[in-house]
Amino acid sequence: MANESKPISPLKNLLAGGFGGVCLVFVGHPLDTVKVRLQTQPPSLPGQPPMYSGTIDCFRKTLVREGITGLYRGMAAPIIGVTPMFAVCFFGFGLGKKLQQKSPDDVLSYPQLFAAGMLSGVFTTGIMTPGERIKCLLQIQASSGETKYTGTLDCAKKLYQEFGIRGIYKGTVLTLMRDVPASGMYFMTYEWLKNVLTPEGKSVSDLSVPRILVAGGFAGIFNWAVAIPPDVLKSRFQTAPPGKYPNGFKDVLRELIRDEGVTSLYKGFNAVMIRAFPANAACFLGFEVAMKFLNWVVPNL
């Protein structure tokens, strides 16, 4: 069972979650760029090598051709969106926990924490989808040799001009399919690991920085173990030319399995897993530090 050391404050979760999200993007974006490029690279022609042979090859080629800024391509979109997105994510988790408590002292079970985490995934989709759509388009643009968009705002403007609001929100269903179960796993695993790593007789709120990093890092790995297949489908769908997949993710899934086999649903797996630990460790550490600060500055918020 999970131990709650303080009454749940969705508002504090909102503020601390935003800070945690910024920490996550700065640490994790380079490998996110690698992940998207691996997921969206076209199949190689017979007798020709693929554009990227794997995570290290993609990382190296991006660094050589585009410099360090190439690894941070499209970061403005998640930075603009990540503060409110993670704020809403942690707010949704806090609200989900609070809604399941009959009294402030109730200790939630792990299935209840999973349910609260799934609610956070629903909350974030409205913010996450446009940012993911723009980020993916900018990340693959450089490797394609075509410069259609000059930046985040230009990409958003052109998408809206060409396709309206539906163009910006392309991939909403797949984002939901990815984030609802993955967020449940994310938060449940984090709370479970915090309890496991808390020394006997100590409070979970006094967990040391290294233990928070371990709990947050492994929570990120469990999250992505669930999220990778729908994330591959989402990346393909969001970067496809208009009209390529008229039946949505069903067409993407059918094409991937037909052309590249079931293992194609785990494209970018290495990049995701290498990124997941440090990025999510940074996220949860940022969240916990911000939460401690808020508890000190505004204890009754």
Side-chain angles (χ1 to χ4, degrees), residues 249-278:
F249 75 89
K250 294 178 186 176
D251 286 350
V252 188
L253 180 62
R254 193 178 299 116
E255 180 189 80
L256 270 173
I257 292 177
R258 183 191 68 225
D259 296 346
E260 303 175 51
V262 175
T263 55
S264 64
L265 293 171
Y266 285 87
K267 273 192 169 186
F269 180 85
N270 290 340
V272 167
M273 289 304 170
I274 293 168
R275 168 185 177 267
F277 193 97

PDB file of all heavy atoms in Angstrom, residues 249-278:
ATOM      1  N   PHE A 249      -5.241   4.776 -37.299  1.00  0.00           N
ATOM      2  CA  PHE A 249      -4.180   3.894 -36.794  1.00  0.00           C
ATOM      3  C   PHE A 249      -4.309   2.463 -37.293  1.00  0.00           C
ATOM      4  O   PHE A 249      -3.316   1.734 -37.349  1.00  0.00           O
ATOM      5  CB  PHE A 249      -4.145   3.932 -35.261  1.00  0.00           C
ATOM      6  CG  PHE A 249      -5.253   3.175 -34.581  1.00  0.00           C
ATOM      7  CD1 PHE A 249      -5.114   1.836 -34.266  1.00  0.00           C
ATOM      8  CD2 PHE A 249      -6.433   3.817 -34.254  1.00  0.00           C
ATOM      9  CE1 PHE A 249      -6.131   1.141 -33.625  1.00  0.00           C
ATOM     10  CE2 PHE A 249      -7.453   3.130 -33.610  1.00  0.00           C
ATOM     11  CZ  PHE A 249      -7.309   1.790 -33.303  1.00  0.00           C
ATOM     12  N   LYS A 250      -5.516   2.037 -37.697  1.00  0.00           N
ATOM     13  CA  LYS A 250      -5.669   0.685 -38.233  1.00  0.00           C
ATOM     14  C   LYS A 250      -4.826   0.508 -39.490  1.00  0.00           C
ATOM     15  O   LYS A 250      -4.183  -0.526 -39.688  1.00  0.00           O
ATOM     16  CB  LYS A 250      -7.138   0.399 -38.547  1.00  0.00           C
ATOM     17  CG  LYS A 250      -8.038   0.346 -37.322  1.00  0.00           C
ATOM     18  CD  LYS A 250      -9.470   0.117 -37.751  1.00  0.00           C
ATOM     19  CE  LYS A 250     -10.424   0.196 -36.550  1.00  0.00           C
ATOM     20  NZ  LYS A 250     -11.829   0.074 -36.970  1.00  0.00           N
ATOM     21  N   ASP A 251      -4.841   1.530 -40.354  1.00  0.00           N
ATOM     22  CA  ASP A 251      -4.045   1.471 -41.584  1.00  0.00           C
ATOM     23  C   ASP A 251      -2.549   1.490 -41.275  1.00  0.00           C
ATOM     24  O   ASP A 251      -1.754   0.794 -41.912  1.00  0.00           O
ATOM     25  CB  ASP A 251      -4.381   2.654 -42.495  1.00  0.00           C
ATOM     26  CG  ASP A 251      -5.737   2.491 -43.167  1.00  0.00           C
ATOM     27  OD1 ASP A 251      -6.316   1.393 -43.079  1.00  0.00           O
ATOM     28  OD2 ASP A 251      -6.223   3.467 -43.765  1.00  0.00           O
ATOM     29  N   VAL A 252      -2.146   2.303 -40.292  1.00  0.00           N
ATOM     30  CA  VAL A 252      -0.728   2.373 -39.914  1.00  0.00           C
ATOM     31  C   VAL A 252      -0.273   1.023 -39.385  1.00  0.00           C
ATOM     32  O   VAL A 252       0.779   0.500 -39.776  1.00  0.00           O
ATOM     33  CB  VAL A 252      -0.495   3.456 -38.829  1.00  0.00           C
ATOM     34  CG1 VAL A 252       1.004   3.643 -38.604  1.00  0.00           C
ATOM     35  CG2 VAL A 252      -1.123   4.776 -39.209  1.00  0.00           C
ATOM     36  N   LEU A 253      -1.074   0.441 -38.498  1.00  0.00           N
ATOM     37  CA  LEU A 253      -0.739  -0.854 -37.910  1.00  0.00           C
ATOM     38  C   LEU A 253      -0.640  -1.935 -38.981  1.00  0.00           C
ATOM     39  O   LEU A 253       0.316  -2.718 -39.009  1.00  0.00           O
ATOM     40  CB  LEU A 253      -1.793  -1.233 -36.870  1.00  0.00           C
ATOM     41  CG  LEU A 253      -1.608  -2.567 -36.145  1.00  0.00           C
ATOM     42  CD1 LEU A 253      -0.321  -2.569 -35.339  1.00  0.00           C
ATOM     43  CD2 LEU A 253      -2.805  -2.844 -35.227  1.00  0.00           C
ATOM     44  N   ARG A 254      -1.618  -1.954 -39.889  1.00  0.00           N
ATOM     45  CA  ARG A 254      -1.632  -2.963 -40.950  1.00  0.00           C
ATOM     46  C   ARG A 254      -0.393  -2.840 -41.839  1.00  0.00           C
ATOM     47  O   ARG A 254       0.256  -3.831 -42.172  1.00  0.00           O
ATOM     48  CB  ARG A 254      -2.915  -2.797 -41.787  1.00  0.00           C
ATOM     49  CG  ARG A 254      -3.211  -3.964 -42.713  1.00  0.00           C
ATOM     50  CD  ARG A 254      -4.519  -3.746 -43.462  1.00  0.00           C
ATOM     51  NE  ARG A 254      -5.654  -3.625 -42.564  1.00  0.00           N
ATOM     52  CZ  ARG A 254      -6.411  -2.535 -42.419  1.00  0.00           C
ATOM     53  NH1 ARG A 254      -6.146  -1.450 -43.124  1.00  0.00           N
ATOM     54  NH2 ARG A 254      -7.425  -2.520 -41.582  1.00  0.00           N
ATOM     55  N   GLU A 255      -0.051  -1.600 -42.222  1.00  0.00           N
ATOM     56  CA  GLU A 255       1.106  -1.380 -43.093  1.00  0.00           C
ATOM     57  C   GLU A 255       2.410  -1.768 -42.399  1.00  0.00           C
ATOM     58  O   GLU A 255       3.273  -2.431 -42.998  1.00  0.00           O
ATOM     59  CB  GLU A 255       1.169   0.093 -43.502  1.00  0.00           C
ATOM     60  CG  GLU A 255       2.350   0.421 -44.407  1.00  0.00           C
ATOM     61  CD  GLU A 255       2.512   1.910 -44.622  1.00  0.00           C
ATOM     62  OE1 GLU A 255       3.076   2.587 -43.732  1.00  0.00           O
ATOM     63  OE2 GLU A 255       2.082   2.396 -45.676  1.00  0.00           O
ATOM     64  N   LEU A 256       2.572  -1.372 -41.135  1.00  0.00           N
ATOM     65  CA  LEU A 256       3.796  -1.680 -40.410  1.00  0.00           C
ATOM     66  C   LEU A 256       4.018  -3.185 -40.283  1.00  0.00           C
ATOM     67  O   LEU A 256       5.111  -3.691 -40.561  1.00  0.00           O
ATOM     68  CB  LEU A 256       3.740  -1.049 -39.018  1.00  0.00           C
ATOM     69  CG  LEU A 256       4.298   0.365 -38.861  1.00  0.00           C
ATOM     70  CD1 LEU A 256       4.000   0.893 -37.457  1.00  0.00           C
ATOM     71  CD2 LEU A 256       5.783   0.405 -39.134  1.00  0.00           C
ATOM     72  N   ILE A 257       2.969  -3.897 -39.886  1.00  0.00           N
ATOM     73  CA  ILE A 257       3.108  -5.347 -39.693  1.00  0.00           C
ATOM     74  C   ILE A 257       3.326  -6.055 -41.022  1.00  0.00           C
ATOM     75  O   ILE A 257       4.134  -6.980 -41.127  1.00  0.00           O
ATOM     76  CB  ILE A 257       1.877  -5.903 -38.953  1.00  0.00           C
ATOM     77  CG1 ILE A 257       1.877  -5.377 -37.511  1.00  0.00           C
ATOM     78  CG2 ILE A 257       1.884  -7.434 -38.954  1.00  0.00           C
ATOM     79  CD1 ILE A 257       0.681  -5.780 -36.697  1.00  0.00           C
ATOM     80  N   ARG A 258       2.631  -5.600 -42.062  1.00  0.00           N
ATOM     81  CA  ARG A 258       2.780  -6.209 -43.388  1.00  0.00           C
ATOM     82  C   ARG A 258       4.184  -5.998 -43.947  1.00  0.00           C
ATOM     83  O   ARG A 258       4.810  -6.919 -44.471  1.00  0.00           O
ATOM     84  CB  ARG A 258       1.749  -5.609 -44.348  1.00  0.00           C
ATOM     85  CG  ARG A 258       1.772  -6.217 -45.754  1.00  0.00           C
ATOM     86  CD  ARG A 258       0.927  -5.405 -46.724  1.00  0.00           C
ATOM     87  NE  ARG A 258       1.519  -4.103 -46.972  1.00  0.00           N
ATOM     88  CZ  ARG A 258       0.841  -2.961 -46.982  1.00  0.00           C
ATOM     89  NH1 ARG A 258      -0.459  -2.955 -46.711  1.00  0.00           N
ATOM     90  NH2 ARG A 258       1.452  -1.812 -47.222  1.00  0.00           N
ATOM     91  N   ASP A 259       4.708  -4.768 -43.843  1.00  0.00           N
ATOM     92  CA  ASP A 259       5.981  -4.430 -44.477  1.00  0.00           C
ATOM     93  C   ASP A 259       7.205  -4.725 -43.610  1.00  0.00           C
ATOM     94  O   ASP A 259       8.279  -5.049 -44.123  1.00  0.00           O
ATOM     95  CB  ASP A 259       6.000  -2.946 -44.867  1.00  0.00           C
ATOM     96  CG  ASP A 259       4.956  -2.609 -45.929  1.00  0.00           C
ATOM     97  OD1 ASP A 259       4.412  -3.559 -46.534  1.00  0.00           O
ATOM     98  OD2 ASP A 259       4.683  -1.411 -46.134  1.00  0.00           O
ATOM     99  N   GLU A 260       7.054  -4.586 -42.302  1.00  0.00           N
ATOM    100  CA  GLU A 260       8.232  -4.650 -41.440  1.00  0.00           C
ATOM    101  C   GLU A 260       8.116  -5.622 -40.272  1.00  0.00           C
ATOM    102  O   GLU A 260       9.056  -5.773 -39.490  1.00  0.00           O
ATOM    103  CB  GLU A 260       8.562  -3.246 -40.912  1.00  0.00           C
ATOM    104  CG  GLU A 260       8.789  -2.227 -42.027  1.00  0.00           C
ATOM    105  CD  GLU A 260       8.987  -0.821 -41.489  1.00  0.00           C
ATOM    106  OE1 GLU A 260       9.826  -0.651 -40.584  1.00  0.00           O
ATOM    107  OE2 GLU A 260       8.297   0.105 -41.958  1.00  0.00           O
ATOM    108  N   GLY A 261       6.960  -6.275 -40.139  1.00  0.00           N
ATOM    109  CA  GLY A 261       6.796  -7.255 -39.074  1.00  0.00           C
ATOM    110  C   GLY A 261       6.402  -6.636 -37.739  1.00  0.00           C
ATOM    111  O   GLY A 261       6.429  -5.422 -37.563  1.00  0.00           O
ATOM    112  N   VAL A 262       6.053  -7.500 -36.796  1.00  0.00           N
ATOM    113  CA  VAL A 262       5.589  -7.047 -35.481  1.00  0.00           C
ATOM    114  C   VAL A 262       6.680  -6.278 -34.738  1.00  0.00           C
ATOM    115  O   VAL A 262       6.391  -5.350 -33.975  1.00  0.00           O
ATOM    116  CB  VAL A 262       5.127  -8.258 -34.634  1.00  0.00           C
ATOM    117  CG1 VAL A 262       4.748  -7.834 -33.223  1.00  0.00           C
ATOM    118  CG2 VAL A 262       3.943  -8.950 -35.304  1.00  0.00           C
ATOM    119  N   THR A 263       7.947  -6.633 -34.960  1.00  0.00           N
ATOM    120  CA  THR A 263       9.036  -5.957 -34.247  1.00  0.00           C
ATOM    121  C   THR A 263       9.114  -4.468 -34.584  1.00  0.00           C
ATOM    122  O   THR A 263       9.707  -3.698 -33.834  1.00  0.00           O
ATOM    123  CB  THR A 263      10.387  -6.614 -34.566  1.00  0.00           C
ATOM    124  OG1 THR A 263      10.583  -6.637 -35.986  1.00  0.00           O
ATOM    125  CG2 THR A 263      10.444  -8.041 -34.023  1.00  0.00           C
ATOM    126  N   SER A 264       8.503  -4.055 -35.712  1.00  0.00           N
ATOM    127  CA  SER A 264       8.517  -2.637 -36.083  1.00  0.00           C
ATOM    128  C   SER A 264       7.776  -1.778 -35.063  1.00  0.00           C
ATOM    129  O   SER A 264       7.999  -0.571 -34.979  1.00  0.00           O
ATOM    130  CB  SER A 264       7.898  -2.438 -37.469  1.00  0.00           C
ATOM    131  OG  SER A 264       6.526  -2.814 -37.468  1.00  0.00           O
ATOM    132  N   LEU A 265       6.886  -2.412 -34.282  1.00  0.00           N
ATOM    133  CA  LEU A 265       6.156  -1.673 -33.247  1.00  0.00           C
ATOM    134  C   LEU A 265       7.073  -1.275 -32.090  1.00  0.00           C
ATOM    135  O   LEU A 265       6.661  -0.502 -31.212  1.00  0.00           O
ATOM    136  CB  LEU A 265       4.989  -2.504 -32.709  1.00  0.00           C
ATOM    137  CG  LEU A 265       3.850  -2.762 -33.698  1.00  0.00           C
ATOM    138  CD1 LEU A 265       2.861  -3.763 -33.130  1.00  0.00           C
ATOM    139  CD2 LEU A 265       3.141  -1.459 -34.049  1.00  0.00           C
ATOM    140  N   TYR A 266       8.290  -1.807 -32.106  1.00  0.00           N
ATOM    141  CA  TYR A 266       9.249  -1.456 -31.053  1.00  0.00           C
ATOM    142  C   TYR A 266      10.442  -0.707 -31.626  1.00  0.00           C
ATOM    143  O   TYR A 266      11.515  -0.684 -31.030  1.00  0.00           O
ATOM    144  CB  TYR A 266       9.688  -2.707 -30.292  1.00  0.00           C
ATOM    145  CG  TYR A 266       8.609  -3.184 -29.355  1.00  0.00           C
ATOM    146  CD1 TYR A 266       7.612  -4.051 -29.797  1.00  0.00           C
ATOM    147  CD2 TYR A 266       8.538  -2.723 -28.046  1.00  0.00           C
ATOM    148  CE1 TYR A 266       6.589  -4.461 -28.952  1.00  0.00           C
ATOM    149  CE2 TYR A 266       7.523  -3.128 -27.196  1.00  0.00           C
ATOM    150  CZ  TYR A 266       6.552  -3.998 -27.650  1.00  0.00           C
ATOM    151  OH  TYR A 266       5.540  -4.388 -26.814  1.00  0.00           O
ATOM    152  N   LYS A 267      10.235  -0.046 -32.773  1.00  0.00           N
ATOM    153  CA  LYS A 267      11.291   0.786 -33.347  1.00  0.00           C
ATOM    154  C   LYS A 267      11.636   1.909 -32.377  1.00  0.00           C
ATOM    155  O   LYS A 267      10.752   2.531 -31.795  1.00  0.00           O
ATOM    156  CB  LYS A 267      10.837   1.398 -34.675  1.00  0.00           C
ATOM    157  CG  LYS A 267      11.086   0.521 -35.860  1.00  0.00           C
ATOM    158  CD  LYS A 267      10.878   1.297 -37.135  1.00  0.00           C
ATOM    159  CE  LYS A 267      11.387   0.520 -38.333  1.00  0.00           C
ATOM    160  NZ  LYS A 267      11.310   1.314 -39.558  1.00  0.00           N
ATOM    161  N   GLY A 268      12.913   2.181 -32.244  1.00  0.00           N
ATOM    162  CA  GLY A 268      13.341   3.225 -31.318  1.00  0.00           C
ATOM    163  C   GLY A 268      13.400   2.762 -29.879  1.00  0.00           C
ATOM    164  O   GLY A 268      13.595   3.571 -28.966  1.00  0.00           O
ATOM    165  N   PHE A 269      13.238   1.441 -29.651  1.00  0.00           N
ATOM    166  CA  PHE A 269      13.200   0.907 -28.286  1.00  0.00           C
ATOM    167  C   PHE A 269      14.450   1.277 -27.492  1.00  0.00           C
ATOM    168  O   PHE A 269      14.364   1.742 -26.351  1.00  0.00           O
ATOM    169  CB  PHE A 269      13.052  -0.620 -28.341  1.00  0.00           C
ATOM    170  CG  PHE A 269      13.006  -1.286 -26.999  1.00  0.00           C
ATOM    171  CD1 PHE A 269      11.807  -1.400 -26.305  1.00  0.00           C
ATOM    172  CD2 PHE A 269      14.160  -1.800 -26.409  1.00  0.00           C
ATOM    173  CE1 PHE A 269      11.753  -2.018 -25.067  1.00  0.00           C
ATOM    174  CE2 PHE A 269      14.123  -2.411 -25.161  1.00  0.00           C
ATOM    175  CZ  PHE A 269      12.908  -2.515 -24.490  1.00  0.00           C
ATOM    176  N   ASN A 270      15.641   1.095 -28.113  1.00  0.00           N
ATOM    177  CA  ASN A 270      16.883   1.384 -27.400  1.00  0.00           C
ATOM    178  C   ASN A 270      16.979   2.858 -27.031  1.00  0.00           C
ATOM    179  O   ASN A 270      17.358   3.214 -25.911  1.00  0.00           O
ATOM    180  CB  ASN A 270      18.095   0.967 -28.232  1.00  0.00           C
ATOM    181  CG  ASN A 270      18.218  -0.540 -28.343  1.00  0.00           C
ATOM    182  OD1 ASN A 270      17.659  -1.282 -27.544  1.00  0.00           O
ATOM    183  ND2 ASN A 270      18.931  -1.007 -29.356  1.00  0.00           N
ATOM    184  N   ALA A 271      16.635   3.733 -28.008  1.00  0.00           N
ATOM    185  CA  ALA A 271      16.696   5.175 -27.744  1.00  0.00           C
ATOM    186  C   ALA A 271      15.738   5.564 -26.628  1.00  0.00           C
ATOM    187  O   ALA A 271      16.063   6.376 -25.759  1.00  0.00           O
ATOM    188  CB  ALA A 271      16.368   5.956 -29.017  1.00  0.00           C
ATOM    189  N   VAL A 272      14.545   4.970 -26.659  1.00  0.00           N
ATOM    190  CA  VAL A 272      13.543   5.273 -25.634  1.00  0.00           C
ATOM    191  C   VAL A 272      14.033   4.845 -24.257  1.00  0.00           C
ATOM    192  O   VAL A 272      13.933   5.598 -23.276  1.00  0.00           O
ATOM    193  CB  VAL A 272      12.201   4.567 -25.960  1.00  0.00           C
ATOM    194  CG1 VAL A 272      11.270   4.603 -24.752  1.00  0.00           C
ATOM    195  CG2 VAL A 272      11.533   5.241 -27.134  1.00  0.00           C
ATOM    196  N   MET A 273      14.573   3.639 -24.160  1.00  0.00           N
ATOM    197  CA  MET A 273      14.985   3.116 -22.864  1.00  0.00           C
ATOM    198  C   MET A 273      16.231   3.821 -22.322  1.00  0.00           C
ATOM    199  O   MET A 273      16.350   4.046 -21.119  1.00  0.00           O
ATOM    200  CB  MET A 273      15.223   1.608 -22.949  1.00  0.00           C
ATOM    201  CG  MET A 273      13.935   0.819 -23.105  1.00  0.00           C
ATOM    202  SD  MET A 273      12.764   1.188 -21.764  1.00  0.00           S
ATOM    203  CE  MET A 273      11.283   0.380 -22.351  1.00  0.00           C
ATOM    204  N   ILE A 274      17.148   4.192 -23.219  1.00  0.00           N
ATOM    205  CA  ILE A 274      18.323   4.946 -22.781  1.00  0.00           C
ATOM    206  C   ILE A 274      17.890   6.313 -22.257  1.00  0.00           C
ATOM    207  O   ILE A 274      18.409   6.821 -21.263  1.00  0.00           O
ATOM    208  CB  ILE A 274      19.344   5.101 -23.930  1.00  0.00           C
ATOM    209  CG1 ILE A 274      19.942   3.736 -24.299  1.00  0.00           C
ATOM    210  CG2 ILE A 274      20.458   6.080 -23.560  1.00  0.00           C
ATOM    211  CD1 ILE A 274      20.732   3.747 -25.596  1.00  0.00           C
ATOM    212  N   ARG A 275      16.900   6.909 -22.922  1.00  0.00           N
ATOM    213  CA  ARG A 275      16.399   8.228 -22.532  1.00  0.00           C
ATOM    214  C   ARG A 275      15.525   8.164 -21.294  1.00  0.00           C
ATOM    215  O   ARG A 275      15.532   9.082 -20.467  1.00  0.00           O
ATOM    216  CB  ARG A 275      15.600   8.817 -23.694  1.00  0.00           C
ATOM    217  CG  ARG A 275      14.776  10.054 -23.362  1.00  0.00           C
ATOM    218  CD  ARG A 275      13.935  10.458 -24.556  1.00  0.00           C
ATOM    219  NE  ARG A 275      13.077  11.582 -24.257  1.00  0.00           N
ATOM    220  CZ  ARG A 275      11.827  11.487 -23.828  1.00  0.00           C
ATOM    221  NH1 ARG A 275      11.300  10.287 -23.625  1.00  0.00           N
ATOM    222  NH2 ARG A 275      11.106  12.566 -23.594  1.00  0.00           N
ATOM    223  N   ALA A 276      14.753   7.097 -21.152  1.00  0.00           N
ATOM    224  CA  ALA A 276      13.708   7.041 -20.129  1.00  0.00           C
ATOM    225  C   ALA A 276      14.255   7.220 -18.723  1.00  0.00           C
ATOM    226  O   ALA A 276      13.669   7.948 -17.916  1.00  0.00           O
ATOM    227  CB  ALA A 276      12.947   5.714 -20.231  1.00  0.00           C
ATOM    228  N   PHE A 277      15.364   6.569 -18.422  1.00  0.00           N
ATOM    229  CA  PHE A 277      15.851   6.624 -17.033  1.00  0.00           C
ATOM    230  C   PHE A 277      16.302   8.026 -16.638  1.00  0.00           C
ATOM    231  O   PHE A 277      15.762   8.590 -15.678  1.00  0.00           O
ATOM    232  CB  PHE A 277      16.967   5.605 -16.816  1.00  0.00           C
ATOM    233  CG  PHE A 277      17.286   5.401 -15.357  1.00  0.00           C
ATOM    234  CD1 PHE A 277      16.742   4.343 -14.654  1.00  0.00           C
ATOM    235  CD2 PHE A 277      18.110   6.297 -14.680  1.00  0.00           C
ATOM    236  CE1 PHE A 277      17.008   4.172 -13.294  1.00  0.00           C
ATOM    237  CE2 PHE A 277      18.384   6.135 -13.327  1.00  0.00           C
ATOM    238  CZ  PHE A 277      17.825   5.073 -12.633  1.00  0.00           C
ATOM    239  N   PRO A 278      17.273   8.635 -17.339  1.00  0.00           N
ATOM    240  CA  PRO A 278      17.721   9.964 -16.886  1.00  0.00           C
ATOM    241  C   PRO A 278      16.656  11.039 -16.997  1.00  0.00           C
ATOM    242  O   PRO A 278      16.547  11.904 -16.124  1.00  0.00           O
ATOM    243  CB  PRO A 278      18.915  10.271 -17.800  1.00  0.00           C
ATOM    244  CG  PRO A 278      18.742   9.387 -18.980  1.00  0.00           C
ATOM    245  CD  PRO A 278      18.051   8.160 -18.493  1.00  0.00           C
TER     246      PRO A 278
END
